[in-house]
Amino acid sequence: MTASRTPAACLIGWPAAHSRSPLIHRYWLRTLGIEGGYVIEAVPPEDLRDFVLRLSLRGFVGANVTIPHKEDVLALSTPDARARAVGAANTLWFADGELRSTNTDVEGFIGNLDAEAAGWDRAEEALVLGAGGSSRAVVFGLLERGIKRIHLANRTVARAEALARQFGPNVHPLPWDGINDVLPRARLLVNTTSLGMHGQPSLDVDVARLPDGAVVADLVYVPLVTPLLAAAIARGLNTADGLGMLLHQAVRGFELWFGQRPAVTAELRALVETDLTKT
């Protein structure tokens, strides 16, 4: 007689050992009393196709996907509208015998803003810094929530122009030296670049130019309080940090795999904060 296998999910990446996803999902499994598992699977690019196509045979009910595999898994699964629009997937699950994919960075970003800066979506104009994969998720989420005008600034303006063509007339590409002109009208400022992260150059943006009541979000979470967020807090503006987005983006995957919707709690945040500050 064979014992039924405990449901388990995994993180697929190369490398992947640095991820906090196991800490988050194991916390929810423990606090919700669910018999399940979550492990890291370091999968080199040449093995990705075989690993993903045999995901169920390996005993997994789904997976998170991180660098460098987030684009490649689209062709190995059935992506939803979000994953297609963003051009990358970070979550895989099975439905009706089919391997499906989505990008929960969208709802992670939006969910964190809703939790930390209620009313942010009354902004008519937003300024998004950066035009990489994270920026695509942010822009998609802002458009979905009805933001009417999104200024997209990038040092290589051609990348911002490419995203604007993809997302339509509400997205306006902006050269980096045009940021100061837009700041006074931006009631939401979002940094999707690595500027301000430990080991990276600082982000030189003057938050004093933002209107009163503006909201500032930074996707960087190392350090927890970036110089951009510190300046916004000092000015009394509402902020949303990268750790909050990291926690909120994990919610839907867990629900898809284990059947219960977990909560982002102060206890979970404190647990991950402690882990992040370990040296």
Side-chain angles (χ1 to χ4, degrees):
M1 182 175 174
T2 305
S4 61
R5 186 178 275 168
T6 301
C10 65
L11 174 80
I12 304 169
W14 186 259
H18 64 283
S19 174
R20 270 74 187 189
S21 290
L23 189 64
I24 297 168
H25 290 289
R26 289 170 187 168
Y27 168 87
W28 283 331
L29 288 168
R30 186 173 68 252
T31 57
L32 291 171
I34 296 172
E35 288 290 328
Y38 189 100
V39 298
I40 288 177
E41 293 282 354
V43 180
E46 61 269 21
D47 295 341
L48 179 66
R49 179 180 175 83
D50 178 74
F51 190 93
V52 169
L53 294 181
R54 295 174 181 267
L55 195 64
S56 181
L57 293 175
R58 295 174 189 274
F60 293 115
V61 295
N64 282 132
V65 184
T66 190
I67 294 170
H69 302 318
K70 294 169 80 166
E71 292 80 22
D72 292 335
V73 294
L74 291 178
L76 302 174
S77 59
T78 301
D80 66 4
R82 287 181 173 182
R84 287 195 302 271
V86 176
N90 69 351
T91 302
L92 301 172
W93 80 101
F94 292 97
D96 301 323
E98 182 178 54
L99 183 63
R100 301 188 182 180
S101 59
T102 189
N103 191 307
T104 64
D105 285 340
V106 177
E107 55 223 270
F109 172 69
I110 297 298
N112 188 39
L113 274 178
D114 286 341
E116 301 299 327
W120 67 269
D121 51 354
R122 290 194 292 269
E124 291 198 355
E125 296 190 50
L127 172 57
V128 178
L129 308 179
S134 296
S135 177
R136 289 173 180 270
V138 166
V139 169
F140 184 88
L142 294 180
L143 290 171
E144 204 172 47
R145 281 292 284 267
I147 302 301
K148 294 182 177 63
R149 189 176 184 89
I150 301 168
H151 304 277
L152 186 60
N154 197 61
R155 292 198 182 280
T156 306
V157 74
R159 294 191 69 185
E161 290 168 347
L163 256 67
R165 285 194 296 272
Q166 176 187 346
F167 285 113
N170 287 8
V171 181
H172 302 268
L174 183 71
W176 200 256
D177 59 11
I179 288 173
N180 278 344
D181 296 333
V182 172
L183 283 171
R185 307 198 305 275
R187 301 197 69 85
L188 174 65
L189 171 64
V190 186
N191 176 40
T192 75
T193 76
S194 60
L195 296 174
M197 186 186 295
H198 277 323
Q200 297 291 325
S202 62
L203 175 61
D204 186 20
V205 172
D206 184 7
V207 298
R209 298 179 66 89
L210 288 168
D212 292 340
V215 175
V216 178
D218 199 331
L219 272 54
V220 171
Y221 59 86
V222 181
L224 289 168
V225 180
T226 63
L228 176 67
L229 293 183
I233 292 165
R235 210 195 129 187
L237 302 178
N238 275 350
T239 62
D241 64 20
L243 177 54
M245 177 177 168
L246 176 71
L247 299 175
H248 281 276
Q249 66 80 31
V251 170
R252 187 171 175 224
F254 186 95
E255 183 179 23
L256 288 167
W257 305 325
F258 301 111
Q260 290 192 49
R261 187 169 181 84
V264 174
T265 61
E267 182 182 52
L268 173 59
R269 183 183 169 97
L271 182 71
V272 181
E273 274 191 23
T274 300
D275 190 68
L276 286 171
T277 53
K278 288 177 183 173
T279 52

